[in-house]
Amino acid sequence: MIRPKGNLVSISLLQMAKSNMEISAILSLGLFSLLLRIRIDVEASQHGIEYVQYQVPESQPYRTAYHFQSPMNWLNDPNGPMYHEGVYHLFYQYNPYGAVFGDSMIWAHSVSYDLINWVHLDHAIEPSDPFDINSCWSGSATILPGNKPAILYTGIDANNYQVQNLAFPKNLSDPFLRVWEKYTQNPVITPPSTVDALNFRDPTTAWQGEDGKWRVIVGARNGHEGMAILYQSEDFVNWTVHLSPFYRSDSTGIWECPDFYPVSINSTNGVDTSVHNPSVKHVMKASFQVNWHDCYVLGTYDPEKENFIPEDDFTGTNLDLRFDYGKFYASKTFFDPAKNRRILWAWVNESDSSQDDIEKGWAGLQSIPRQVWLDKSGKQLIQWPIEEIDKLRDKQVSINGKELISGSIFEVSGITASQADVEVSFELPELESAELIDPTRVDAQLLCSEENASSLGIIGPFGLLVLAAKDLAEQTAIFFRVYKAQNRYIGLMCSDQSRSSLRNELDKTTYGAFFRIDPNLKKISLRSLIDHSIVESFGEEGRIAITSRVYPLLAIDKEAYLYAFNNGTLNVGISKLNAWSMKKTQFDDEQSFSYSLE
Ligand SMILES: *[C@@H]1O[C@H](CO)[C@@H](O)[C@H](O)[C@H]1NC(C)=O
Ligand SMILES: *[C@@H]1O[C@H](CO)[C@@H](O)[C@H](O)[C@H]1NC(C)=O
Ligand SMILES: *[C@@H]1O[C@H](CO)[C@@H](O)[C@H](O)[C@H]1NC(C)=O
Ligand SMILES: *[C@@H]1O[C@H](CO)[C@@H](O)[C@H](O)[C@H]1NC(C)=O
Ligand SMILES: *[C@@H]1O[C@H](CO)[C@@H](O)[C@H](O)[C@H]1NC(C)=O
Ligand SMILES: *[C@@H]1O[C@H](CO)[C@@H](O)[C@H](O)[C@H]1NC(C)=O
């Protein structure tokens, strides 16, 4: 019902009644009163319903410039990302009635030619029938033969059970596939008796075996046990459950948004989800609701036994491999045949309160789309922001061959530090004197908060201070420390939010992860994408990623600064630093949609 028109949004008073709290909060304007420019028009509709129009404030300090956001309201999981006939589609979980999670979730729909500039379309899938009347939850798209997309999604049915439904585009000649029709015989999959019917959701992109049959997995739970249940179909409509779980784990709880796909063992190129040959391994990702972590294991898919054999099992602990060690959940990949790559999207939650979100009028971002591929070691994935992001780079500053002296700090000036892309390569001193550690007995995240940027070390802490106030009263430190373990060197990458804002009531958890250091190279690289209230950082060329949400009071817009610092006793070199101001991406609705295919 809420149709964005530029920044102008109409809401019926009936819906206002539903979202009364939000509106009154927006009108009462706690923190944002100076920033809001509200226009209220009351007009009578044909049916005598009054419409209030207001403008989502443009000058909000925490709205992002180049991350995907909805025009307003609550957003969570990315759904059904796909590429179809020259157009990228992103659907996402959306609450049309407010800036908090809701009990009538829908699939919003946006399209793009370049994964950067987007057009927001009408909602694609909304509750309508007994099989999804209580919400249309997450799911995935599969491109069927003849280039026909199909969507499998979770419906919350009239009994509040979770069932899987099918939808198809109404008009395949419409380049944006605006209208989606639900299959009349929905649901196509109902919960098997072996799982909890209230925790059975998020079908993956399906893959086709050599026998021509389609396979899809659905996340499920039985007590503390988490699992992926496999279904097979000849025609994509009639699905048969495979009796033993595709893969399961004792202590992880429900697996939300499972993702299962092949990765090349010797190329950074992605491959289609149905590819199965000796040059691929498989990735199994699950989102663990118990700790809000997106974890993955690598392994082998056995189409004969119809199961997945991991190289290392999920542990349900902090030792599991993660895409991102910060705020990053419900991720999903798709294969992009236009550029032969696999792209990862994820929901990035807020770290402020629901009341803050109601005042802002929105909550939730999508991560920068990341290309994923298998590391040369074969033991983990690498992620890197898609190359299209580089097109947003504007004014550049460069620093070459600078010594970061022990205890020093210097400003990287000349760019818009609240909206920037920073790449830096640090040169390490001799490693022998590094502090000792036993990484198997220490939790990296805990270590990052104890050995924070202000506690002195030997090699490190050194790194960047982003979204920092001029007097450093606010700062988010993205930093490294180097440790010596038995026979090897270990790096620790941290994102320290403890001093990110003068506001106290925020979630300021510090995040961190370990990585291996090659003693022959003696360098560490970092790229941080800074965008007003989000910092996405990639260490070691994409081996480690950490995403943070921060809400400074002082370090906003032109009052945000960027620094490099070293609080270790040994000097560190900056062999190369490049920083760019970033341009804003374009978000249009269909009416104002103007740009065309390149
Ligand atoms: C399907 O989409 C095409 C392209 O937008 C349009 O010309 C055609 O009229 C549509 N067909 C129907 C039945 O809506
Ligand atoms: C559905 O598929 C199963 C297994 O292939 C088959 O036994 C059954 O007859 C099919 N049902 C329908 C309605 O096609
Ligand atoms: C990748 O490895 C597979 C299996 O070893 C081999 O057949 C293929 O030629 C390799 N491809 C490249 C690009 O090296
Ligand atoms: C999202 O963030 C809010 C505020 O920090 C928190 O209460 C909530 O648990 C988070 N949800 C998820 C899924 O991360
Ligand atoms: C940083 O660590 C030092 C030393 O452990 C501690 O005294 C200080 O309180 C910590 N600072 C923050 C902001 O957590
Ligand atoms: C470096 O250490 C000093 C002394 O502990 C501290 O005042 C300063 O805040 C630290 N720098 C950073 C960036 O944490």
Side-chain angles (χ1 to χ4, degrees):
M1 276 296 288
I2 297 179
R3 299 271 148 71
K5 255 196 189 167
N7 281 319
L8 217 54
V9 179
S10 307
I11 294 190
S12 84
L13 285 182
L14 289 179
Q15 284 167 345
M16 270 189 68
K18 244 188 146 156
S19 53
N20 218 336
M21 283 202 19
E22 290 92 308
I23 303 291
S24 60
I26 285 174
L27 294 177
S28 74
L29 307 174
L31 174 65
F32 300 103
S33 51
L34 292 173
L35 305 160
L36 281 168
R37 282 180 295 147
I38 293 192
R39 209 180 85 200
I40 298 178
D41 296 325
V42 180
E43 54 185 53
S45 85
Q46 280 179 328
H47 308 288
I49 299 169
E50 293 192 319
Y51 285 83
V52 171
Q53 301 195 312
Y54 68 91
Q55 202 161 16
V56 170
E58 269 170 38
S59 56
Q60 289 203 21
Y62 308 134
R63 273 305 272 188
T64 59
Y66 60 95
H67 279 75
F68 183 96
Q69 285 193 276
S70 56
M72 60 184 300
N73 292 336
W74 168 276
L75 148 174
N76 56 304
D77 310 1
N79 290 157
M82 65 175 183
Y83 176 84
H84 182 256
E85 308 270 8
V87 178
Y88 292 100
H89 294 254
L90 178 66
F91 305 85
Y92 55 94
Q93 287 289 289
Y94 181 67
N95 178 9
Y97 304 115
V100 294
F101 187 76
D103 55 11
S104 194
M105 298 297 291
I106 65 144
W107 280 45
H109 184 195
S110 302
V111 290
S112 172
Y113 291 123
D114 57 8
L115 290 164
I116 294 184
N117 300 299
W118 292 89
V119 182
H120 294 306
L121 303 175
D122 282 352
H123 304 148
I125 305 178
E126 297 174 287
S128 62
D129 291 273
F131 55 76
D132 67 4
I133 196 68
N134 283 316
S135 269
C136 299
W137 278 10
S138 290
S140 305
T142 303
I143 310 285
L144 302 180
N147 222 1
K148 291 187 187 137
I151 281 174
L152 279 166
Y153 70 96
T154 298
I156 309 299
D157 76 6
N159 298 318
N160 279 320
Y161 293 157
Q162 301 185 359
V163 299
Q164 316 314 322
N165 301 319
L166 194 52
F168 298 103
K170 184 169 184 187
N171 180 1
L172 276 174
S173 310
D174 169 10
F176 288 172
L177 306 173
R178 290 171 177 83
V179 182
W180 288 74
E181 282 182 330
K182 295 171 188 174
Y183 177 57
T184 50
Q185 304 297 306
N186 277 340
V188 292
I189 295 176
T190 54
S193 59
T194 48
V195 308
D196 171 6
L198 303 178
N199 283 286
F200 177 63
R201 55 183 175 268
D202 308 340
T204 61
T205 295
W207 69 96
Q208 195 171 27
E210 271 177 13
D211 58 6
K213 282 192 201 161
W214 289 99
R215 278 102 171 143
V216 72
I217 56 174
V218 181
R221 182 186 95 163
N222 183 4
H224 291 301
E225 190 186 12
M227 66 190 91
I229 309 274
L230 181 83
Y231 286 81
Q232 294 184 335
S233 176
E234 311 245 354
D235 57 6
F236 218 82
V237 165
N238 171 25
W239 293 91
T240 312
V241 68
H242 190 76
L243 288 172
S244 61
F246 189 63
Y247 178 42
R248 53 168 293 284
S249 189
D250 284 336
S251 53
T252 48
I254 169 81
W255 291 8
E256 295 197 292
C257 303
D259 198 14
F260 183 68
Y261 55 90
V263 282
S264 285
I265 56 174
N266 52 10
S267 163
T268 60
N269 284 347
V271 290
D272 182 83
T273 310
S274 295
V275 167
H276 186 241
N277 62 38
S279 65
V280 301
K281 273 192 192 193
H282 273 78
V283 179
M284 170 69 81
K285 186 278 297 187
S287 301
F288 298 151
Q289 200 187 37
V290 288
N291 53 14
W292 302 119
H293 288 175
D294 269 29
C295 299
Y296 68 89
V297 286
L298 298 166
T300 311
Y301 166 48
D302 181 346
E304 247 137 63
K305 295 205 186 80
E306 285 299 7
N307 64 2
F308 171 71
I309 304 122
E311 291 164 8
D312 295 296
D313 266 309
F314 282 134
T315 65
T317 71
N318 284 352
L319 296 175
D320 287 330
L321 282 172
R322 289 166 67 185
F323 282 131
D324 190 296
Y325 293 84
K327 285 234 170 208
F328 190 91
Y329 192 68
S331 65
K332 190 181 291 301
T333 63
F334 74 104
F335 173 62
D336 172 12
K339 291 197 172 180
N340 277 317
R341 58 187 173 173
R342 186 163 284 273
I343 294 175
L344 172 72
W345 283 102
W347 167 42
V348 181
N349 188 16
E350 303 296 311
S351 295
D352 59 3
S353 69
S354 298
Q355 191 55 42
D356 292 327
D357 296 340
I358 290 166
E359 288 180 20
K360 291 187 303 202
W362 59 272
L365 304 173
Q366 299 295 337
S367 65
I368 289 294
R370 304 174 179 181
Q371 190 176 341
V372 284
W373 66 90
L374 188 68
D375 182 35
K376 280 201 195 77
S377 70
K379 291 189 183 326
Q380 69 159 108
L381 297 172
I382 305 287
Q383 306 159 70
W384 199 245
I386 53 165
E387 62 188 15
E388 285 85 344
I389 295 297
D390 298 359
K391 286 199 262 174
L392 294 171
R393 288 171 169 175
D394 204 359
K395 189 178 179 209
Q396 178 179 0
V397 296
S398 299
I399 292 164
N400 289 305
K402 186 174 169 74
E403 191 84 341
L404 250 185
I405 292 168
S406 165
S408 71
I409 180 164
F410 76 91
E411 188 193 340
V412 180
S413 58
I415 56 152
T416 315
S418 57
Q419 196 175 308
D421 181 357
V422 188
E423 281 193 295
V424 51
S425 188
F426 297 102
E427 233 170 67
L428 301 177
E430 285 306 322
L431 301 181
E432 284 85 72
S433 50
E435 297 154 84
L436 286 169
I437 201 178
D438 178 356
T440 60
R441 304 182 64 121
V442 186
D443 181 290
Q445 176 163 320
L446 211 61
L447 190 62
C448 284
S449 54
E450 284 164 359
E451 304 279 295
N452 56 46
S454 63
S455 72
L456 306 180
I458 297 172
I459 306 177
F462 64 84
L464 300 176
L465 299 183
V466 306
L467 294 172
K470 185 86 199 165
D471 63 358
L472 300 176
E474 293 180 323
Q475 55 177 268
T476 295
I478 317 295
F479 69 90
F480 299 95
R481 294 177 78 113
V482 178
Y483 295 97
K484 189 155 59 176
Q486 225 177 7
N487 308 324
R488 63 202 167 114
Y489 291 99
I490 304 281
L492 177 69
M493 175 170 163
C494 307
S495 178
D496 178 0
Q497 283 71 243
S498 60
R499 290 184 281 176
S500 60
S501 175
L502 293 177
R503 294 169 62 191
N504 289 323
E505 69 289 0
L506 304 165
D507 169 8
K508 296 183 184 173
T509 308
T510 285
Y511 307 119
F514 288 121
F515 59 95
R516 234 169 209 278
I517 287 193
D518 181 343
N520 301 314
L521 292 179
K522 287 204 302 181
K523 65 184 182 70
I524 292 180
S525 75
L526 171 65
R527 179 175 184 188
S528 284
L529 293 168
I530 304 157
D531 193 3
H532 299 275
S533 65
I534 181 170
V535 184
E536 276 187 74
S537 298
F538 301 84
E540 284 301 82
E541 279 141 10
R543 273 174 193 79
I544 307 270
I546 304 182
T547 297
S548 305
R549 296 302 308 279
V550 294
Y551 312 87
L553 278 183
L554 307 174
I556 60 174
D557 298 327
K558 292 202 163 56
E559 297 307 314
Y561 295 85
L562 174 67
Y563 298 90
F565 78 100
N566 179 10
N567 257 347
T569 52
L570 296 185
N571 295 352
V572 171
I574 288 185
S575 44
K576 195 170 63 186
L577 183 152
N578 286 304
W580 294 265
S581 295
M582 292 291 269
K583 289 180 229 163
K584 209 169 157 46
T585 59
Q586 199 175 327
F587 284 101
D588 289 314
D589 65 3
E590 274 207 80
Q591 285 71 38
S592 61
F593 174 54
S594 54
Y595 71 96
S596 60
L597 259 177
E598 283 165 15

